[in-house]
Every structure is written in C-alpha cells, then in structure tokens.
Amino acid sequence: GQGVYPKTNAGTTFNYRNKKVNIFGNYNYAYRIGLNHLLLDRRFYESGIYNGGDLKDNYSKSPVSSNTARFGIDFSPSKKTIIGFVVNGNFNHFTRKNDNNSIIIDPQRNQQSTFKSYATNDDHSNNMVANINFKHTFDSSGKEISADIDYGEYNSRSLTLNATRYYKLDGTSLQPNYTLNGDQHGKLILRTAKADYTNPMKNGTKWEAGFKTSFVSSDNDAKFIDMSNGTPQNDIKKTNHFIYKEYNNAAYINFSKEFKK
C-alpha cells in the first residue's frame, strides 16, 4: 500500500499431518510508516471571556515493524493419547519523531511568545508464550486426564527524548531550555500449571478433581533524567521502579449424579 508513506503486510502458513504427528506454524511481517500532521487553534475562556490561546503546527512520523510467529506440534502415540506443544511470539519495533512549533496568544489576542518542541521514541516489545499440553482418554465412557503447562514472557524497552526551547517574538531566548530523557524497561513473566481428571461412573454419577498453580512476576523500571542544564539529574517526580510478585494455588473436587427426573 502507498499513502504519503508505504505500508506492507506479508505472511506464510504451513501444516504437515500424518497418523501420529501434526506440525503447524505461521509467520507474518508488517511494516508501515505512520504520519500525523495537526494544525491546532486552541482558545481558552474563563467565565465566557477569552483568556488566551495558542497556535500549533505538529508533525509526527512513526515507522512501525512487526514480526509474529507461531509453531506447534501435536503427537499421538496412541488413539487415546495426545501430547502437544505450541509457542507464539511477536517482536515489534516502533520509532517516532515529532516536531511542534507553537505560538502563544495573550488575552488581547496578540502573539506573546513561541516555543519549539522535539520528541523521539525508540520502543521495542518482545513477547513469547509457550504451552505444553497432555490428554489421555481411558475409555469410551469419557474417563480422561488432561494437563497444561504455560509460560509467558513480555518484555518492553522505551528510550525517549523530549526537548523544548522557548523564544521571545524577536527570536531571543525567553527562558531556559527543557530537556528530558527517558529509559523505561518492563518485564512480565507468567507461569502456570494445571491438571484435571474426569471419571464417569455407573448410574449417572461422575466425579472430577483438579488443581492449578500460577506465579506472576512484574518488574517495571522507569527512569527519567533532566538534561536541561547539561548535567544529568534524576527527575524524582517521574522516575519509579515497580516490582510485584503473586502466587496462586487452587484445587477442586466435584461429585455429581443425574436422576431420571
């Protein structure tokens, strides 16, 4: 596709099967360049009276690339047993460059000052989820056991720059420049395991049992450095490190019976 900038999508899928093995997978790639050009006329009022405003010319260009893949195998050693494995992953890269030119308007509708802002992003997100599963059917009555193990890992990284310069109408400096650098990391890990057993019996009775355990951990570190005076200074109002862990364990037993009425 072609707009102001190009875009493309492509992918492939494969599958192979015989009596005991099924192998499958796919891969998709996407790339596009986003464009956002805004001309803004903002006007502020207080109690119905004009209190100033600004004019903005905002131009943003953002290339994005994405890779998504899936691969799996199902193996049947017998007609009653199946063992499977599947993994999914996606890897994304996003960049952005944003230019903003603004004119400040005073309450008398005169131009008061200007400022220019420049912002960039360099973002990555790499995610993967894997599963191993097992199922065995003992007989035609529905007696079976199944189990799953899952693992997921989500990673993100973002490098940002925000810089603003302030000017009087004659082009001289109005106030000190402002520059803020950001370095953000995020990691989320999910681990789960579960098993279920079903046992139908005579006279319409059935009992079931199972368990599940899970562990979640999250580590998000956001650092913002003020570079306005040329010496790096940690911005404590924006910097934060968040760490979280969670464990969950559960088990169940069910018994049921069907009656004629």
Side-chain angles (χ1 to χ4, degrees):
Q2 178 68 47
V4 176
Y5 297 111
K7 61 181 178 180
T8 183
N9 295 279
T12 183
T13 300
F14 69 90
N15 181 242
Y16 170 79
R17 179 193 295 269
N18 60 30
K19 291 183 178 180
K20 289 190 175 184
V21 177
N22 179 36
I23 303 174
F24 57 91
N26 59 62
Y27 169 76
N28 292 281
Y29 173 77
Y31 176 79
R32 67 177 57 232
I33 299 177
L35 169 65
N36 192 332
H37 191 189
L38 298 174
L39 299 174
L40 305 176
D41 183 351
R42 303 197 306 175
R43 306 174 188 182
F44 305 106
Y45 293 85
E46 186 174 339
S47 301
I49 300 174
Y50 179 77
N51 196 36
D54 58 45
L55 302 174
K56 293 183 181 296
D57 184 346
N58 191 86
Y59 186 91
S60 179
K61 181 180 178 181
S62 53
V64 181
S65 63
S66 173
N67 297 271
T68 304
R70 183 170 187 257
F71 176 77
I73 299 176
D74 293 323
F75 175 64
S76 302
S78 68
K79 292 183 178 180
K80 296 182 178 180
T81 303
I82 183 169
I83 302 170
F85 167 79
V86 62
V87 59
N88 295 278
N90 62 74
F91 310 91
N92 306 309
H93 185 206
F94 169 80
T95 60
R96 178 179 64 96
K97 291 183 179 180
N98 189 95
D99 286 292
N100 182 291
N101 295 302
S102 299
I103 301 174
I104 305 301
I105 309 298
D106 65 19
Q108 288 73 42
R109 301 182 185 273
N110 298 315
Q111 295 186 8
Q112 188 178 45
S113 62
T114 67
F115 65 84
K116 295 183 178 182
S117 296
Y118 177 71
T120 64
N121 279 68
D122 186 2
D123 299 348
H124 293 263
S125 63
N126 302 317
N127 309 317
M128 184 192 72
V129 178
N131 168 266
I132 300 174
N133 54 83
F134 166 82
K135 182 178 180 181
H136 177 72
T137 302
F138 293 92
D139 51 44
S140 60
S141 68
K143 182 179 179 181
E144 67 178 33
I145 185 172
S146 63
D148 284 89
I149 298 175
D150 294 279
Y151 177 86
E153 186 171 311
Y154 302 85
N155 294 279
S156 64
R157 173 79 185 273
S158 178
L159 298 174
T160 59
L161 165 67
N162 289 276
T164 304
R165 293 179 172 86
Y166 306 88
Y167 300 96
K168 298 178 183 178
L169 293 181
D170 60 6
T172 59
S173 178
L174 174 66
Q175 65 186 62
N177 299 332
Y178 177 70
T179 303
L180 183 71
N181 290 343
D183 185 356
Q184 301 173 74
H185 296 259
K187 188 170 188 176
L188 175 67
I189 297 178
L190 310 171
R191 304 177 181 90
T192 66
K194 67 177 182 177
D196 299 277
Y197 175 73
T198 301
N199 186 14
M201 302 174 70
K202 296 181 180 180
N203 302 320
T205 60
K206 180 174 69 173
W207 71 275
E208 302 168 296
F211 76 91
K212 181 177 181 179
T213 181
S214 69
F215 170 61
V216 179
S217 64
S218 178
D219 187 341
N220 294 279
D221 191 8
K223 298 177 182 178
F224 291 93
I225 307 299
D226 191 333
M227 301 290 295
S228 301
N229 61 7
T231 302
Q233 293 182 340
N234 181 31
D235 191 330
I236 60 174
K237 294 182 179 180
K238 299 179 178 66
T239 294
N240 185 48
H241 193 182
F242 176 77
I243 299 174
Y244 175 77
K245 294 182 179 181
E246 176 183 277
Y247 298 88
N248 283 290
N249 300 285
Y252 73 93
I253 297 177
N254 291 333
F255 177 82
S256 62
K257 177 176 174 56
E258 293 185 4
F259 298 90
K260 291 184 178 180
K261 296 186 178 182

